[in-house]
Amino acid sequence: MSAKNSVMKVSLNHISEVFLYEYFVSDGKEYDLSETDTALEYKKKAKEFMSSGNIAKAQQEWIKAHFENPVDMENILSIISCCKQLGDIEGEYAYTLDSYNFCCTRAEMAAYYRNLGWYYLEKYDPDLASVCYMYSQLFDETKQAEEELKFLEKALNKKIEKKSVEDLQKILKKNNIPTEANSVTLALLFKAGGEAESAGDFIQALDCYRMVYDLTQDKEVSEKISKLQENLAR
C-alpha cells in the first residue's frame, strides 16, 4: 500500500468539524477530506433499522457513520440511544464521556447531562442521576428529563428536593463532572469562525459564532454575529 493510500479519509462537512477533528481525534496524523458525505448512506440505513426496531443493526450502521465522521453529534447521540435500548450501560457511558468534547449547543449539553443521568440511574445512584437531570434542564428544558425526574420520585417514593444552581454544580464537581461546555471546544469554534470569516465564508463563520454564543452569551461574539449578518444583508 502506498503512503498516499494509507492516509485516513474522513467525511467532515463544516469548518467547525475540521477544527474539532484535528484537535480531539486526528492525533497529529495526516488525513484527507472525502469529496462526498460518506457517512450519509450509513445514517440512512441506521434510521431504517431503527424504524423497524432492529436496534443492534442500527447501532452497527451508526458506528460505521461515526467512523466516517467521528465528531458528528448525530452519530454519537444515536449510538448512545442504541446502547440504552440494548442495555449496554458501560458503552453508553463511554460514548457519553466522548460526546462532551463535541457539544456545541445548549441542546447538546443538555443531552450530555441526561445521558449521564441515565447512566447513574442504571448504576443505582438515583441522587446523582437526579442532579444530572435537573442540571440538564438549565441548558434545555425537555419533556424527557421531566419524565425521568418523575420516574425517580415514584421509584424513591419521595419528592426530589429542588436545588440551587450552585448546589447542583457543587455536587457535579464533587463527582468530577464538568459544569459547563468545554473551554477548548469553545475556543476551537471561535477560531474556526475567524478562519471562515477571513476566507469570506460568512455563512460558516456565523454558524461557528452562533454556537459559541449559544453556550456563552458572550457580548463580543454577539457583536461579531451582528456584523456578519449586516454583511450578508448587503
Side-chain angles (χ1 to χ4, degrees), residues 135-201:
Y135 202 66
S136 78
Q137 296 288 64
L138 300 177
F139 286 87
D140 185 29
E141 287 193 21
T142 63
K143 190 78 175 170
Q144 185 183 345
E146 191 182 314
E147 291 300 322
E148 292 291 354
L149 287 166
K150 284 179 183 175
F151 170 80
L152 275 166
E153 286 186 336
K154 192 173 179 181
L156 296 170
N157 198 25
K158 67 175 183 180
K159 191 82 174 167
I160 290 174
E161 180 191 347
K162 296 270 186 186
K163 292 180 176 65
S164 66
V165 175
E166 291 76 17
D167 285 341
L168 290 172
Q169 290 178 336
K170 197 179 293 182
I171 295 166
L172 291 173
K173 285 175 182 175
K174 188 180 175 184
N175 287 277
N176 298 312
I177 298 170
T179 57
E180 55 192 17
N182 189 334
S183 59
V184 173
T185 301
L186 293 172
L188 290 168
L189 292 174
F190 188 81
K191 193 174 178 183
E195 187 160 306
E197 188 178 356
S198 297
D201 191 341

Side-chain angles (χ1 to χ4, degrees), residues 14-16 189 192-193 204-213:
H14 197 278
I15 192 169
S16 60
L189 292 174
Q204 290 210 14
L206 263 177
D207 290 341
C208 294
Y209 291 143
R210 280 170 175 158
M211 286 187 282
V212 175
Y213 184 73

